[in-house]
């Protein structure tokens, strides 16, 4: 039996897809296949903006030809879309129920006789979907079980490790608390064991994931088994916060990078900022979502910080480590965002000089508090505002990159083409590494993928670096 998995959204969904692939392949013996050949299609959805949802529907329509594969939707799905999917005779499976997917899929395939489904056995699909949701009754243990499934990593040098999922913050615009539910933090021992095993296997880059990693609070009831005796890490029973988890992970022996995505400014503690100075493996990169530079809009977004507090945090991060590169998320055109509000965002962007910013036009999400506010900024104005911020970003990113000219940066090689190799520098920037283009060099380059090298930066643009390999 074959499957095709289409993943939308953030790294959290990509990480979930690595666990879905592991379950389908190890427990059901399925093989991955191209979309037009697979017997089962899985859409791992993102609902962060309407455009993300529309893209999935566009792709879904294309799959509805003569062929009738079994179609499963999972991931971040808002309740109205859940219903819409069921009406289309597809199965909706909660990601938290992943350990039970093999039973549900086996059962569905028994009924499947895909023709029957085509002719409108909506009842059967709904019943199977309902059966699946019965597993979620004990929410906490369901999440725990799904996060402890060993993923089929898609890289052998970069690993995503979820440390928590869900969100309690309820920013007024955001779908996540409604799609992923409340926060759940994995026990520290489980995370430490997973990361230690990855480093032993040769992984070089560990990306810790969570919707708001700095509200991580894992409960430890025991010592991690692999490190219990004689190991360098001591963790006793009790609660562990995010900085403590980072410090514990930092003690794992080996040459590796550690980073995390994403954090909320209201929870960026002095203890965490200090980690940028003290943790040897933590790379100098921080993603911290600003969302808006206007205090009025931040309040309406339910963000619980002010623009001044955000600026102060960045000052402290830069004092702890001046090399930290910064990226952020910004939403333009939030309900009632005036030109003055927008200009405050533009001003703070100029002041902070981000290296990267993910700029989004506000999109009302059904069921959120902000969806009750009038979406009163026109699409054209939203695009104008986004373009203006993009120009500011281009200027600050280029100026920051110019400072790197002539510097030698530790770089993880991630891919190659016929002539060059490509990498990510320690401060999370893409770099093209120029090498000679003979056949032997191409073979040598291949050996460098997944390895650390030193690269001297020789040219820069706003979005990319270029450099020479230093022996
Ligand atoms: N937890 C992260 C934080 O608070 O920084 C953000 C995770 S959210 C899934 C990713 C980004 O999507 C947000 O930071 C925000 O900029 C954007 N986003 C979320 N909801 C949005 C909406 N309704 N319209 C536009 N952008 C949105
Ligand atoms: Fe959404 Fe806010 Fe939670 Fe981030 S912190 S996932 S923006 S609700
Ligand atoms: Fe989207 Fe869910 Fe991530 S809504 S951005 S896939 S947490």
């Amino acid at each position: 039996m074959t499957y095709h998995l289409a993943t939308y959204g953030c790294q959290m969904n990509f990480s979930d897809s690595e666990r879905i692939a592991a379950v389908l392949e190890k427990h059901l013996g399925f093989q991955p296949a191209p979309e037009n050949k697979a017997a089962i299609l899985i859409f791992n959805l993102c609902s962060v903006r309407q455009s993300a949802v529309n893209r999935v529907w566009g792709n879904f329509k294309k799959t509805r030809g003569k062929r009738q594969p079994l179609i499963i939707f999972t991931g971040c799905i808002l309740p109205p879309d859940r219903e819409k999917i069921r009406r289309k005779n597809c199965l909706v499976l909660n990601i938290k129920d992943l350990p039970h997917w093999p039973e549900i899929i086996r059962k569905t395939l028994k009924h499947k006789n895909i023709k029957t489904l085509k002719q409108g056995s909506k009842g059967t699909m709904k019943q199977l979907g309902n059966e699946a949701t019965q597993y979620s009754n004990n929410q906490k243990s369901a999440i725990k079980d799904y996060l402890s499934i060993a993923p089929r990593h898609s890289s052998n040098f970069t690993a995503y490790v979820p440390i928590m999922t869900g969100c309690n913050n309820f920013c007024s615009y955001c779908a996540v608390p409604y799609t992923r539910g409340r926060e759940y933090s994995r026990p520290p021992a489980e995370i430490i064991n997973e990361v230690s095993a990855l480093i032993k296997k040769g992984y070089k880059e560990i990306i810790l994931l969570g919707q708001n990693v700095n509200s991580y609070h894992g409960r430890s009831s025991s010592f991690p088994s692999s490190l219990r005796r004689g190991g360098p890490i001591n963790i006793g029973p009790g609660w562990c916060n995010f900085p403590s988890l980072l410090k514990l992970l930092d003690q794992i022996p080996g040459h590796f990078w550690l980073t995390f995505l994403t954090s909320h400014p209201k929870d960026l503690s002095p203890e965490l900022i200090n980690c940028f100075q003290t943790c040897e493996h933590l790379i100098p990169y921080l993603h911290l979502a600003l969302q808006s530079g206007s205090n009025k809009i931040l309040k309406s977004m339910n963000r619980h910080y002010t623009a001044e507090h955000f600026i102060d945090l960045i000052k402290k991060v830069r004092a702890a480590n001046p090399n930290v590169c910064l990226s952020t998320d910004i939403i333009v055109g939030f309900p009632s965002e005036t030109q003055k509000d927008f200009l405050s965002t533009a001003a703070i962007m100029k002041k902070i000089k981000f290296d990267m910013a993910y700029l989004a036009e506000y999109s009302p999400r059904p069921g959120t508090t902000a969806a009750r506010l009038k979406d009163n900024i026109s699409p054209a104005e939203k695009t104008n505002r986004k373009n203006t911020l993009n120009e500011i970003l281009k200027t600050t990113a280029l100026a920051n990159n110019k400072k790197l000219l002539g510097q030698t940066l530790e770089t993880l090689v991630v891919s190659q083409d016929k002539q060059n190799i490509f990498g990510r520098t320690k401060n999370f920037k893409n770099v093209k590494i120029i090498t000679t283009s003979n056949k032997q060099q191409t073979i040598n380059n291949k050996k460098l993928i997944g390895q650390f090298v030193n690269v001297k930066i020789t040219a820069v643009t706003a979005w990319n670096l270029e450099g020479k390999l230093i022996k």
Side-chain angles (χ1 to χ4, degrees), residues 350-365:
K350 283 183 191 157
K351 190 174 174 78
I352 290 177
K353 301 183 173 64
F354 289 107
D355 292 276
M356 180 45 81
Y358 301 92
L359 308 170
E361 296 174 21
Y362 171 70
S363 159
R365 309 311 301 124

Side-chain angles (χ1 to χ4, degrees), residues 336-350:
S336 87
E337 184 190 67
T338 60
Q339 190 62 15
K340 192 171 161 226
D341 295 319
F342 168 69
L343 290 177
S344 310
T345 307
I348 197 171
M349 274 194 74
K350 283 183 191 157

Side-chain angles (χ1 to χ4, degrees), residues 312-460:
D312 188 50
L313 284 176
I314 300 300
K315 263 192 206 147
K316 287 177 175 150
V317 170
R318 285 184 168 146
N321 184 341
N323 297 322
V324 171
C325 285
L326 287 169
S327 65
T328 196
D329 290 347
I330 286 176
I331 299 176
V332 291
F334 188 78
S336 87
E337 184 190 67
T338 60
Q339 190 62 15
K340 192 171 161 226
D341 295 319
F342 168 69
L343 290 177
S344 310
T345 307
I348 197 171
M349 274 194 74
K350 283 183 191 157
K351 190 174 174 78
I352 290 177
K353 301 183 173 64
F354 289 107
D355 292 276
M356 180 45 81
Y358 301 92
L359 308 170
E361 296 174 21
Y362 171 70
S363 159
R365 309 311 301 124
T368 59
T369 331
R372 290 188 226 134
L373 305 171
K374 191 158 185 249
D375 183 18
N376 62 342
I377 313 297
S378 70
E381 182 55 23
K382 284 178 185 169
T383 307
N384 268 342
R385 291 181 185 182
K386 187 168 133 179
N387 291 344
T388 306
L389 295 188
N390 200 41
E391 285 308 309
I392 297 172
L393 175 67
K394 225 172 165 178
T395 311
T396 59
L398 180 62
N400 291 346
N401 284 350
K402 278 185 179 165
K403 290 186 199 150
L404 300 173
L405 278 168
Q407 288 191 27
T408 297
L409 301 178
E410 188 179 37
T411 298
L412 179 64
V413 180
V414 296
S415 62
Q416 76 170 146
D417 66 11
K418 272 193 187 150
Q419 202 163 346
N420 302 296
I421 49 178
F422 299 88
R424 200 161 34 246
T425 61
K426 198 170 180 175
N427 48 11
F428 223 66
K429 297 201 176 222
N430 295 326
V431 59
K432 177 169 153 183
I433 309 161
I434 310 292
T435 60
T436 45
S437 60
N438 61 47
K439 201 172 169 193
Q440 186 53 43
Q441 189 61 46
T442 312
I443 296 165
N444 291 345
N445 285 349
K446 196 168 184 190
K447 288 187 200 145
L448 290 177
I449 294 179
Q451 301 299 317
F452 288 124
V453 296
N454 285 318
V455 175
K456 184 167 182 182
I457 306 303
T458 52
V460 300

Side-chain angles (χ1 to χ4, degrees), residues 33 52 73 104 155 189 210 218 226 260 291 308 323 345 359 397 453 455 461:
F73 282 84
I104 298 286
S155 156
S226 61
F260 56 86
Q291 309 299 4
E308 293 73 26
N323 297 322
T345 307
L359 308 170
V453 296
V455 175
T461 66

